[in-house]
Structure formats: C-alpha cells, structure tokens
Amino acid sequence: MHDLEWKRRPVSMRSVAVIVFSGVQAIDVSGPMDVFEEANAFLPGAERYHVQIIGPGGIFNASNGMRIAAHRTYGETDAEYDLVLVAGGPRLAEEQPEAAMLECIRRLSNSAGQVGSVCTGAFALGHAGLLAGKRVTTHWQNAHTLSKRFPDAVVESDRIYVRDGKLVTSAGVTAGIDLALAIVSDDHGSKVSLAVAKRLVVVAQRQGGQSQFSPYVVAPSDPKSPLAAISTFVMANLKSRLSVNDLADHLHMSRRSFARLFALETRTTPAEFVENARLDAARNLLEGTGLALKEIAFECGLGSPHRMRQVFLRRIGVTPGQYRASFKRPSK
C-alpha cells in the first residue's frame, strides 16, 4: 500500500503495546510513548491512547542503564491491541530475541490492527516471521544486515519510516518519534500531530531521509588495500574530473580489471563512489564552515551551486541550504 493511500482509522480509544526486552534502547520506548501521552492532552477521553509496556518479568536494564519494569510480561498478556510496537536495541541486529518475546509478538500481531517497530526492532519482527514480502526500514547502519538476514523483505534504507499495509517500521532511535507523530496524524489529523511536535520541540515531518545522517564513503578496513588507495586519491583530487581511466591509471590497472575489482569490493560504480565522496566532503563543509555555496561546490568538484543543489535533492532529499540549517555546528 502506498503511503498516500493510508486511510485514517475511525477515531476511538487506541490501545498500544510497546514490546521491550533487557538491553532495549530507552528512547525507542520513551520517544513514542511521550508522543502518545502528549497527544492525549489534546484529545477527549474516549479518543486517547492507552499504552502498556510488555516485557520480561521484574526490573531490567535498558542499554543506557535505565531500569525498566513492564506493565505486563510476555506470557501473561492476552489483550488485543490496536497497535503493537516493537522497540529496538543495540544487540538485536546480532542476537536472536528470546522465544517468549517472539511468541508474544506473533500472538499480539495476529489480532492487532497495526504492527510496527522502532530502529532494530525490525529484526525482532523478522525473526517472528512478519517481514516476508514487506517494505521495511531500520537504522541506516543496520539496513544491509537486515536485508541479508531477511532477504524476502524489501529494505528501504533511506526512509525515516515506511508503511506497508498494517506494518509500520521506522529508522533509528529518534525516528520512532517521527513514526509516532505520523500515527497520531493518521488517527487525529495533522493539527493534533503538529501541536504534539511543538510541545516536544521537534519537527512534525522531517525533511529528507536517513542519508542525511550516514556517511557515503566509509574508510576501508584494510588501509593497504586498492580501495584504500583509491579513497585517498579521490579525496585528495575532488576538484579533478576523476574518470574511470584516471582511477584505473592510479592503480596501474586496465579499465576492465579495475571496474571488475571495484564492483567486487564496493558494490557500486566508480562514478557513484566519486559522487559519494564529493557529497561527504560538501556535507562536512556545510556543517563546519561558513563558506559560500559557490566555494563549496568548487572545492568538492560539484561544479556550481545549481549542480550541487540537484545532487543534494536527488541523493539526500534536501537542498544544501536546508542541510546547513539542520546540521551546521554552532559557533563557539
């Protein structure tokens, strides 16, 4: 289902279950819960959200050391919830959740009108068998791992949140707030979600995608590898044209051999790699300097402010000016 085809549900009390575990990321829990609680201040009693934390028994620690106690344990909850939201945590991308948690997710999702995840909570949904054939997202650092682990899912790594039928998934950490605001907007309209966003001092709808926060070029793990040599060469020569022949010549390789090696090592093309490097350099200058857009475009090999604007809009979803306004480091 396309995002724009999402139908606003009939207005009534909305019961929400937030599924957590030992080592959960605290803001994945508190962020959405705060959105729903703030929304309640603008809603009549019969339309408010009722949120419960479902987790292991007793008191357990979040990943930041915060102590949490669930309202109900995995096994004792038999209620039907309108929304079941699985929080994320640093270990979920590598470790399979306990069987009781997965059984709870499956049981509650069967009767829920909507099922979702925050950040790496998507991995728990995957282990519960709920991602097959679905469009999903997660934190940009874990998107590739999610795609490899659950190849039947379509992972959209640049999205802040994704809806596919009754499944809703969000990107990393604070994107859970974005997702919760979108749910409030679906349920009660943009006026309420905007009021909640203002109370929380966040934007009601974030511009651009996760690519604003993730570097395009990551330093190779082996500093002596051919890719490391190319990365160094590209970053030192951003003002140059940097054709495939230029890169192949730097490694003293034929164009064909270089293209084959490059595709194997980077899963991208030399042209895209060069553009990625230029984008990263431009973003660093926008964040850390007061250089004019014309100067930044020249220094990074993007040509002109108009060309740089086109690349930013195509790759990141915001203009260079919007990026600078959001990410520029404050002056001391």
mmCIF file of all heavy atoms in Angstrom, residues 9-10 65 78 110 123 126 130 151 281 312:
data_model
loop_
_atom_site.group_PDB
_atom_site.id
_atom_site.type_symbol
_atom_site.label_atom_id
_atom_site.label_comp_id
_atom_site.label_asym_id
_atom_site.label_seq_id
_atom_site.Cartn_x
_atom_site.Cartn_y
_atom_site.Cartn_z
ATOM 1 N N ARG A 9 -8.041 5.906 10.386
ATOM 2 C CA ARG A 9 -8.920 4.975 11.090
ATOM 3 C C ARG A 9 -10.029 5.712 11.835
ATOM 4 O O ARG A 9 -9.881 6.891 12.174
ATOM 5 C CB ARG A 9 -8.079 4.159 12.081
ATOM 6 C CG ARG A 9 -7.162 3.152 11.412
ATOM 7 C CD ARG A 9 -6.229 2.543 12.437
ATOM 8 N NE ARG A 9 -5.244 3.529 12.872
ATOM 9 C CZ ARG A 9 -4.102 3.754 12.233
ATOM 10 N NH1 ARG A 9 -3.837 3.076 11.137
ATOM 11 N NH2 ARG A 9 -3.242 4.649 12.671
ATOM 12 N N PRO A 10 -11.124 5.014 12.116
ATOM 13 C CA PRO A 10 -12.177 5.633 12.920
ATOM 14 C C PRO A 10 -11.608 6.073 14.269
ATOM 15 O O PRO A 10 -10.799 5.385 14.873
ATOM 16 C CB PRO A 10 -13.201 4.498 13.098
ATOM 17 C CG PRO A 10 -12.932 3.570 11.965
ATOM 18 C CD PRO A 10 -11.468 3.645 11.686
ATOM 19 N N GLY A 65 21.440 1.771 30.855
ATOM 20 C CA GLY A 65 21.457 1.547 32.294
ATOM 21 C C GLY A 65 20.168 1.920 32.999
ATOM 22 O O GLY A 65 20.014 1.622 34.191
ATOM 23 N N ASP A 78 -2.950 -11.148 27.381
ATOM 24 C CA ASP A 78 -3.837 -11.779 26.402
ATOM 25 C C ASP A 78 -4.779 -10.751 25.786
ATOM 26 O O ASP A 78 -5.752 -11.099 25.117
ATOM 27 C CB ASP A 78 -4.643 -12.904 27.044
ATOM 28 C CG ASP A 78 -5.426 -12.421 28.265
ATOM 29 O OD1 ASP A 78 -5.373 -11.207 28.571
ATOM 30 O OD2 ASP A 78 -6.090 -13.250 28.901
ATOM 31 N N ASN A 110 -1.296 -10.984 15.527
ATOM 32 C CA ASN A 110 -2.415 -11.635 14.826
ATOM 33 C C ASN A 110 -3.713 -10.851 14.966
ATOM 34 O O ASN A 110 -4.519 -10.784 14.031
ATOM 35 C CB ASN A 110 -2.618 -13.055 15.358
ATOM 36 C CG ASN A 110 -1.574 -14.018 14.832
ATOM 37 O OD1 ASN A 110 -0.981 -13.791 13.776
ATOM 38 N ND2 ASN A 110 -1.334 -15.094 15.566
ATOM 39 N N PHE A 123 14.357 -6.271 13.333
ATOM 40 C CA PHE A 123 14.965 -7.605 13.368
ATOM 41 C C PHE A 123 14.081 -8.570 14.149
ATOM 42 O O PHE A 123 13.939 -9.736 13.769
ATOM 43 C CB PHE A 123 16.363 -7.536 13.993
ATOM 44 C CG PHE A 123 17.408 -6.956 13.085
ATOM 45 C CD1 PHE A 123 17.582 -5.585 12.994
ATOM 46 C CD2 PHE A 123 18.213 -7.786 12.306
ATOM 47 C CE1 PHE A 123 18.546 -5.043 12.157
ATOM 48 C CE2 PHE A 123 19.177 -7.256 11.463
ATOM 49 C CZ PHE A 123 19.345 -5.878 11.387
ATOM 50 N N GLY A 126 11.347 -9.576 12.010
ATOM 51 C CA GLY A 126 11.831 -10.547 11.036
ATOM 52 C C GLY A 126 11.939 -11.939 11.626
ATOM 53 O O GLY A 126 11.506 -12.928 11.015
ATOM 54 N N LEU A 130 7.426 -11.784 10.279
ATOM 55 C CA LEU A 130 6.456 -10.773 9.862
ATOM 56 C C LEU A 130 6.963 -9.837 8.761
ATOM 57 O O LEU A 130 6.248 -8.907 8.379
ATOM 58 C CB LEU A 130 6.032 -9.928 11.073
ATOM 59 C CG LEU A 130 5.404 -10.696 12.233
ATOM 60 C CD1 LEU A 130 5.047 -9.749 13.364
ATOM 61 C CD2 LEU A 130 4.178 -11.470 11.770
ATOM 62 N N PRO A 151 16.084 -11.816 3.443
ATOM 63 C CA PRO A 151 16.097 -11.451 2.016
ATOM 64 C C PRO A 151 14.715 -11.334 1.386
ATOM 65 O O PRO A 151 14.586 -10.739 0.311
ATOM 66 C CB PRO A 151 16.910 -12.589 1.372
ATOM 67 C CG PRO A 151 16.822 -13.736 2.340
ATOM 68 C CD PRO A 151 16.759 -13.111 3.692
ATOM 69 N N ALA A 281 32.226 15.307 1.372
ATOM 70 C CA ALA A 281 33.061 16.487 1.555
ATOM 71 C C ALA A 281 32.207 17.748 1.637
ATOM 72 O O ALA A 281 32.451 18.628 2.469
ATOM 73 C CB ALA A 281 34.062 16.594 0.403
ATOM 74 N N PHE A 312 22.166 17.155 -4.189
ATOM 75 C CA PHE A 312 21.634 17.036 -2.824
ATOM 76 C C PHE A 312 20.166 16.610 -2.838
ATOM 77 O O PHE A 312 19.755 15.737 -2.070
ATOM 78 C CB PHE A 312 21.796 18.355 -2.073
ATOM 79 C CG PHE A 312 23.043 18.440 -1.241
ATOM 80 C CD1 PHE A 312 24.286 18.529 -1.846
ATOM 81 C CD2 PHE A 312 22.992 18.420 0.133
ATOM 82 C CE1 PHE A 312 25.449 18.597 -1.095
ATOM 83 C CE2 PHE A 312 24.138 18.482 0.907
ATOM 84 C CZ PHE A 312 25.375 18.570 0.285
#
